[in-house]
Amino acid sequence: MNDEQILADLADRFETWKQKKDGEIRELREGLDVMAKHASRPGGGGTSGAALVTPEEREHRDAFANWLRNPRHEKARGELSALETRTASTLTDTSGGYAVPSLVQGPLMMRARAANPLRGIVRTVDVSTGDVTFPLSNADAGSGWVGETDTRTGTAEPTLTGAKPTFGTLYALVEASEELVGDMAFDVSDWFTREAGAALGAAEMAAIISGNGTNKPTGYLNVAPEAGADGTRTQGALKFITSGAAAAFSDSDRLIETVYDLQAKHRTNARWVMNSSTVGQVRMMKDGAGRYLWNESLVPGQPPSLLGYPVLTCEGMPDVAADDFPIAFGDFAAAYVLADRGGLRTTVDDNITQPGRVRWYVRKRVGGTVYDNDAVRLIKIAA
């Protein structure tokens, strides 16, 4: 390739990366907006001059924080209940408890995303019922060619299958001493955000990877991966490529094989997913000329790349071990769907018996399932 072709190729790849990041950038901006909870200045860059935080949002946040400090105080509970009753059209939920305010929920979910990076790459949808099915075409519709005036013969209709997410209640129990949360110098909302966000994110990540579908999402490793070609495997089973070694991974050719075993349409938005331990092994791999396959990004905020594709470090992935699947590659937005049903709710857990302690029960309904099992490949540690 000459210099012009190289520059054109780099420009095309940058544009593809930019388009993939647009949605994530929008979500990050929304999260940063709600994190500016002490600000009442006009929103930056806008022309409307509207306040960044509305009086209603601030009132809800303050009432919620006051209840966190005094969870068993009748006045604090009454004020929060009255506020939610007044805005019932947006806050009422059949699961009971108090709705977590948007000014708390935004940063909390960003914490959850940090603990569960998979939420940022799978397809996420909001649903109003747990009885939902996402149709998927098997791409087997008929086609043909005819002359301008020839009779058109009917072609076969595509076969449709349904991906139905399994749902469960994702929850966290956040506990502290009454003295700690009652201290007015202590930012109780920020503490609640950090504790609940990390716990919810870790549990959600584990379910997306290996959830068994019983009162939780069905993970993409739940159905045993198979070696068969696309269109021949069990529904929900991803395809694997063997590593070439029974208990280790050092063969760079398997990485290349994995990339090109995936259909071209799924390589456009593909990425690698592995945990830190596996990253440490892959980073040392070289090609035949002694060049490292791994490339650290020179652009702030852009992930490192492996064979030209971004790498996501996800600690919930298995380690390199015999018969396990430590590396995944593909388009996760096409492969997996995560369904959110309703927002976060919280109540005080009265089952705690230790004096001077208080515990909050935070939960939300989440479902998930493999959508297109042709969109991701796995590397299996096996000869």
Side-chain angles (χ1 to χ4, degrees):
M1 297 177 67
N2 57 37
D3 291 345
E4 291 183 356
Q5 291 173 321
I6 293 174
L7 288 173
D9 179 63
L10 288 174
D12 289 343
R13 292 179 63 179
F14 175 77
E15 183 61 28
T16 299
W17 171 82
K18 181 177 178 296
Q19 292 175 0
K20 290 192 296 181
K21 292 297 180 182
D22 281 345
E24 296 177 21
I25 291 172
R26 283 194 298 271
E27 291 181 4
L28 287 173
R29 284 175 176 167
E30 292 171 359
L32 290 173
D33 284 344
V34 297
M35 287 181 72
K37 58 187 177 183
H38 298 298
S40 58
R41 62 187 182 277
T47 58
S48 64
L52 180 65
V53 179
T54 67
E56 292 79 11
E57 290 173 327
R58 188 180 299 108
E59 183 183 13
H60 189 202
R61 179 202 62 204
D62 293 345
F64 185 78
N66 186 48
W67 172 73
L68 288 178
R69 293 188 187 281
N70 308 278
R72 295 186 176 90
H73 196 279
E74 284 296 331
K75 182 179 180 182
R77 292 163 56 183
E79 289 176 350
L80 185 54
S81 295
L83 186 146
E84 294 204 357
T85 300
R86 193 166 70 246
T87 55
S89 61
T90 58
L91 299 180
T92 297
D93 191 290
T94 56
S95 64
Y98 297 118
V100 177
S102 61
L103 293 180
V104 176
Q105 182 164 298
L108 191 154
M109 293 311 295
M110 288 188 70
R111 293 279 185 179
R113 179 187 289 272
N116 174 27
L118 292 176
R119 176 172 272 271
I121 63 171
V122 301
R123 177 188 174 194
T124 57
V125 297
D126 293 318
V127 298
S128 59
T129 174
D131 187 18
V132 58
T133 301
F134 298 94
L136 174 66
S137 172
N138 286 336
D140 55 357
S143 61
W145 293 90
V146 294
E148 183 177 0
T149 60
D150 291 349
T151 300
R152 269 65 174 170
T153 303
T155 58
E157 294 183 2
T159 302
L160 295 178
T161 58
K164 188 177 180 64
T166 55
F167 280 82
T169 298
L170 174 65
Y171 76 92
L173 292 174
V174 181
E175 184 177 331
S177 68
E178 293 178 347
E179 290 79 4
L180 178 65
V181 297
D183 186 350
M184 295 306 295
F186 177 65
D187 190 341
V188 67
S189 294
D190 180 67
W191 167 82
F192 181 82
T193 293
R194 287 185 286 106
E195 295 295 319
L200 292 173
E204 186 178 71
M205 174 179 62
I208 293 174
I209 295 173
S210 56
N212 61 12
T214 300
N215 298 322
K216 62 174 68 70
T218 300
Y220 55 76
L221 292 182
N222 179 61
V223 178
E226 301 173 4
D230 290 349
T232 67
R233 300 187 302 278
T234 305
Q235 184 173 357
L238 304 182
K239 182 180 178 180
F240 68 79
I241 306 296
T242 55
S243 66
F249 183 58
S250 60
D251 188 350
S252 61
D253 287 348
R254 297 290 76 75
L255 297 173
I256 299 173
E257 179 184 355
T258 301
V259 169
Y260 292 100
D261 191 76
L262 195 68
Q263 297 178 43
K265 64 180 181 180
H266 293 312
R267 291 201 299 268
T268 302
N269 296 317
R271 66 182 64 228
W272 300 94
V273 175
M274 62 190 83
N275 67 23
S276 293
S277 175
T278 307
V279 165
Q281 298 183 46
V282 173
R283 287 195 61 170
M284 295 185 288
M285 291 185 179
K286 301 178 181 179
D287 63 16
R291 296 169 298 194
Y292 286 103
L293 303 180
W294 185 280
N295 287 296
E296 287 293 341
S297 172
L298 300 178
V299 180
Q302 184 174 353
S305 63
L306 177 63
L307 296 175
Y309 294 92
V311 180
L312 179 74
T313 303
C314 175
E315 303 301 356
M317 286 289 289
D319 290 331
V320 172
D323 295 323
D324 227 327
F325 305 90
I327 298 176
F329 174 77
D331 182 354
F332 283 80
Y336 195 90
V337 59
L338 192 67
D340 291 321
R341 184 184 176 194
L344 281 171
R345 310 289 297 183
T346 183
T347 52
V348 172
D349 180 13
D350 292 323
N351 293 320
I352 190 167
T353 58
Q354 185 177 354
R357 305 290 293 182
V358 61
R359 178 190 291 160
W360 290 270
Y361 171 46
V362 191
R363 72 274 188 187
K364 67 178 298 186
R365 293 285 291 174
V366 181
T369 187
V370 171
Y371 179 66
D372 185 349
N373 63 346
D374 296 338
V376 167
R377 294 290 189 263
L378 302 167
I379 292 181
K380 180 180 182 180
I381 305 304

